[in-house]
Amino acid sequence: MILSAAIIRAEDGSKLWLRYVSTKTITILCDTNSPTLAIARNELEKGWDGEAGTTIALTIKEDKTIAGDGFRLSENSIQANTELGILYGVFELLRRQQTGQTIEEEISNPSYEFRILDHWDNPDGSIERGYAGHSIFWHDGQAGLAVTENDKILWEEYARANASIGINGAVLNNVNASPLMLTREYLERVKAITEVLRPYGIRTYLSIKFSAPSLIGGLKTSDPLNPEVIQWWQTKVKEIYSLISDFGGFLVKANSEGQPGPQNFGRTHADGANMLADALMPFGGIVMWRAFVYSPSNEDRAKQAYMEFMPLDGQFRNNVIIQIKNGPVDFQPREPFSPLFCAMKKTSVMPELQITQEYLGQSVHLVFLSTMWEEFLQSDTYQEGPGSIVAHCTDGSIFLQKYTAIAGVSNIGLDTNWCGHHFAQANWYAFGRLAWNNTLTSEKIADEWLKLTFGQIASGQTEAANFSTDWTEHFLVPVKQMMLDSREAAVNYMMPLGLHHIFAGNHHYGPGPWYAPKGLRPDWTPPYYHRADTKGIGFDRTKTGSNAVSQYHEPLCSEFNDVNTCPEIYLLWFHHLPWDYKMKSGRSLWDELCYHYDAGLKQVRQFQKIWDATKPYVDPGRFADVQNKLRNQNQNVQIWKDACLLYFQQFSQRPVPEDIEPPVNNLKDLMRNDIRRP
Ligand code: GCV
């Protein structure tokens, strides 16, 4: 049966994956009450999709097999150690019902204790690398500090969405932090936000500016070993906890991209982090100290974080967690995992993922990031023998960490659909689901998200689990496959075979392999990374090159070092190779590059066709939005292909293979226009 568009409810994406409206009755047994449990009850009543008239028991009872805010789930009972465990159990139960999954007695424990969204939001409401409108927390600086009813409604919707996928923390401001955030007026607003978020289990954190003692405290220095500075931070932390008793702690970007840090005073990252950790320790707060640093040396950019942090292993307090981006450079479409994972054996570390698609087409391209994160979490570091995958190096199963955590840089803004692109919601969803269970497959996550977000399509139809064969065959299966292929497509059309950071300057949207203004740090320019010349292309990170391979544990070090064993997906990350280098396919490296760019473009054209065919199954608003985005994506992917092939062809001096479409743009025009987001 094909449903006609006329009976499909209009939707704008504002409800995310929480679109349930149930008419079935349910009796809830629960002998305690609290704001969190009231939310749990309310969700059950709103969304119950099991048998009508069921009685369900919510029980808080100490159970050693349940960890933290985990829960025991069965068809008609949820048991947990904490109220939040009950709430998470409720959301899981409803998700199972709405996606048609079975519910057997089982325990679900979170992989990480802290599952945090990092918002790069500024006091004026702008968002660094935000592509979905202005901040939901801040606007107009000082003038926008009054809390309105609308603010509260929005914050509650945000909290509910996060709780439904297990996220339990939010860093409310940009890591390029304004010192203003620590002033009383701003802290009052943080307090107000926290009060709305608290019943949903979301703790709040702040990014701090390391030089705040001098900038807003009137001190002559911000040296972390100076007694007055130490005192200033202790007093500030006390003030924060007097307002927000469950405040989570600080996130710090220090000595990176112009941000001040302990090195400005001749101190180490450990000196800086420990000083803050000592101030937070009595209140149970943590410091998330970022490893995204630039050393003053000329060393290979990919080696710098490891070089700065490895010598400090074991020197951090146990309430410090080193927050490490998934790859050694910067959230590229594909990077090998950062070698710091599992190498720091005496320090707590946490992964930092980027949900906002700074380098993956922003809110224009449809790119499901879950497959990238899955690849990262499943990467074997070999540090503690085979099977030392990143997931287990960070979730406490290999090393005893006092705290375990994972962070994702948020893609949320004031846009009606929260994320700018309807499919970008899937990345927020996937982050939460992986933070709760770091072994989930992307296939399962996409399946759930599609059913929750695009299921229940006929008006009046409330039984979401009742997915028709027709819907499954014509919507779910092809669209899921499109999502699962979308990241590899982006790698193909942006930077295949290990190429990285060949974006146009600043906006990081379109291609800019030529971008190298005079005076700019070389490691902020694409030629530094691709190193194309008439002899070949790629960054030599072998033992005879920058020797970045040595930061990886054997057998990876040798595997990456040897061009014959280096996986082709990382080939040009680790090797500079001649244009006629023979690939496994038998083609030359140049031809292979051409085929990858062409394949990426063809994949996106195919995505357009897949989406166009879903028209009868999607409400007109969301259908048209995604269709428009795919059109823009397609145009821009053509530019990616043409720009990269024509630019590199100047060096390779080889023809584009005859069986692929030749470029349709001219390099000069492309270089002059330097595409921005449509
Ligand atoms: C918040 C990249 C981004 C910056 C970002 C930085 C970071 O360089 O382009 O906008 O700054 O990473 O993660 O600190």
Side-chain angles (χ1 to χ4, degrees), residues 120 128-129 131 174-176 253 256-257 259 290 292 294 301 325 329-331 352 354 358-359 409 501 506 508 524:
W120 287 356
E128 182 152 352
R129 311 305 178 187
Y131 313 104
N174 192 354
V175 285
N176 290 328
K253 173 174 177 176
S256 168
E257 299 185 333
Q259 291 301 319
R290 297 178 87 225
F292 179 71
Y294 284 80
R301 174 81 194 99
K325 290 189 181 183
V329 171
D330 192 9
F331 297 137
E352 178 179 340
Q354 195 181 43
E358 173 180 358
Y359 294 105
V409 181
H501 228 316
N506 305 318
H508 298 162
W524 280 358

Side-chain angles (χ1 to χ4, degrees), residues 360-437:
L360 280 133
Q362 301 174 7
S363 56
V364 180
H365 295 208
L366 189 161
V367 185
F368 182 48
L369 300 176
S370 182
T371 51
M372 175 164 83
W373 300 333
E374 190 183 343
E375 175 179 295
F376 157 69
L377 290 165
Q378 293 300 320
S379 296
D380 200 339
T381 69
Y382 292 93
Q383 286 281 356
E384 297 290 306
S388 312
I389 58 171
V390 172
H392 295 153
C393 296
T394 51
D395 67 9
S397 44
I398 293 186
F399 302 119
L400 261 189
Q401 298 195 179
K402 182 164 165 65
Y403 301 110
T404 59
I406 186 165
V409 181
S410 157
N411 62 349
I412 298 162
L414 281 175
D415 275 9
T416 306
N417 70 16
W418 297 85
C419 301
H421 191 309
H422 293 291
F423 276 78
Q425 296 178 353
N427 293 330
W428 178 9
Y429 183 85
F431 170 75
R433 298 290 287 129
L434 283 169
W436 184 273
N437 179 352

Side-chain angles (χ1 to χ4, degrees), residues 175-178 208-211 253-261 264:
V175 285
N176 290 328
S178 161
I208 58 110
K209 187 146 197 115
F210 201 77
S211 52
K253 173 174 177 176
N255 295 115
S256 168
E257 299 185 333
Q259 291 301 319
N264 295 44

